[in-house]
Structure formats: structure tokens, C-alpha cells
Amino acid sequence: MQAKTGREYRTGELAEAAGIPVRTLRFYRERKLLPPPRREGRIAWYDEHHLARLRTIAALLERGHTLGGIAELTAAFEHGRDVGQLGELLGIGWSEETPVRLTPEELADYFEGEVTPENLAASLDLGYLAVDGDTIVHVSRRLLDVSSALVREGVPLAEVLETGRRVRAHADAMARLFTDLIASHISPEALPRLRPLAKSVVEAELTMAMDRLLAAGGGPEAEQPQGRREQPQRRTGS
């Protein structure tokens, strides 16, 4: 008989670990948002994959997805839909980003020693990851590569994710600027066609901002206005 690996949960234990009522767990199971539990007589046993699925559902609901959309995403996983279609379901639509499907082991290889429950929860909350059973989808190949490169350079993944959260706020603001500009003077229908112009402006401005920062010294003190830099204390004569 093969030994069990990982923790298993009864229905109430799983609901408590996921932070949801038992009736919600049963509703998700009835809607086929969860794979069937392992049965041992009249007892249903769930595992870490079921808990990961519940956390994914919570993260997607937080991002505005409906249960119907989440069910479609679940079906995509279970029927092997390609990553491009998964990207549409995850809400990146006509984005240039390419989703990446990974096993947990492959994800661990990208972020050796940094794949903690806290970092996984933060990634789910940001919408970077969706988890289904043994399959993980990262919504952006470019973000995955950049994040793993920063971690290899010694930046903690938790700080990479927090920076990503802050960058998103600025990116949302820039996207709104361009959207309002184009919608006000041309038409909303022109957004997909003129999107490359916005991308070019952002890339150019970011490059010049990095150049200015490096020319100024690049350290935290370089960001302070000249008048606010700490001055050496004057010695008073005796």
C-alpha cells in the first residue's frame, strides 16, 4: 500500500483552513469547482491541492471573477486548454503577456527556497498565479523571468512581490492617463491600435528616469531634494 504524503483534512478542517463556511465548501463541490475528495467509508478526505484550489477561488473572486468564470477556468485546466485561452480566462485578454504552466517543482526551481505559503498567498492575491491541483499558471512569462532573476541576484521574493504591488498602482494610473487621453480625443475603439504608443512612452520615460537616478548617484539619498539632504553637524566652539 502506497504511503500518503502531505496533510489531509476532513470537511470542517478544510473549510477552517480556507477561512470559509462548510456550506460554502459544499456549494463549491456541488458546482464542481473542487475535485472529488478521497473517500474512506463515509468520511471525505481533502488534501493540500483542495486547499490550494479554494485559495485560488478566493483570489479570483477578489479580482472580480464570477463563479461561472471560475468554473470555466477550472474546466480549462481539467481539459488541457492551451495557455493562450487560459490567459483570456485569467483576465489578461488581448494582453501581450504569455501565461506559463508550471508544476510545483518547476516553480520551486525558479524561486529556490522562496516558495513559502506567505509568498504563494501574496502571488495569488496579486493575480500572478492561479493554482489547480498539480498545475500552476503564472500569468506572465516576462514577470516570471524578471522575478526569478531578481531572486537569483539576492532580492527576497516577498520584497519583489511587494514592489510588484506598488508598481501595479503606478501602472494602473498611467494606463488611466492614456485611456482618458485617447478616449477623449479619438475614441475608446482606438485603444488597442494606439496601445503601442503608450508602451513606448512609458518605456522611454522609465529609461530616462533610471538614467537620471544613476547620474545622481543612484542611492536613496539621491532621491531627496537638495535642500533636505542631511548636513554635517557643526561643531560649537568652547
Side-chain angles (χ1 to χ4, degrees), residues 220-234:
E221 67 278 1
E223 299 178 6
Q224 301 177 14
Q226 186 69 28
R228 295 183 59 187
R229 293 191 184 179
E230 187 176 340
Q231 299 295 327
Q233 292 183 349
R234 294 181 179 178

Side-chain angles (χ1 to χ4, degrees), residues 74-172:
T74 299
F77 277 111
E78 293 173 348
H79 294 91
R81 198 175 297 185
D82 65 61
V83 292
Q85 291 170 300
L86 286 173
E88 293 178 5
L89 294 174
L90 285 166
I92 57 178
W94 41 275
S95 171
E96 298 173 6
E97 300 309 309
T98 302
V100 184
R101 296 187 72 163
L102 302 162
T103 65
E105 293 77 15
E106 289 170 337
L107 184 67
D109 288 341
Y110 270 96
F111 304 103
E112 186 174 355
E114 294 280 334
V115 182
T116 64
E118 293 78 13
N119 285 337
L120 283 173
S123 298
L124 287 167
D125 183 55
L126 279 166
Y128 287 167
L129 294 182
V131 183
D132 186 273
D134 291 328
T135 304
I136 298 169
V137 173
H138 195 294
V139 297
S140 169
R141 162 65 70 183
R142 290 194 291 182
L143 288 178
L144 175 63
D145 290 343
V146 168
S147 299
S148 61
L150 288 171
V151 170
R152 286 195 302 272
E153 291 289 336
V155 182
L157 181 56
E159 294 188 24
V160 172
L161 293 171
E162 177 56 28
T163 299
R165 188 184 302 277
R166 295 167 63 187
V167 167
R168 175 171 294 179
H170 292 291
D172 286 346

Side-chain angles (χ1 to χ4, degrees), residues 75 109 169 185 236:
D109 288 341
H185 295 280
T236 57

Side-chain angles (χ1 to χ4, degrees), residues 207-220:
T207 297
M208 291 188 293
M210 293 292 290
D211 289 342
R212 290 193 296 270
L213 185 61
L214 291 172

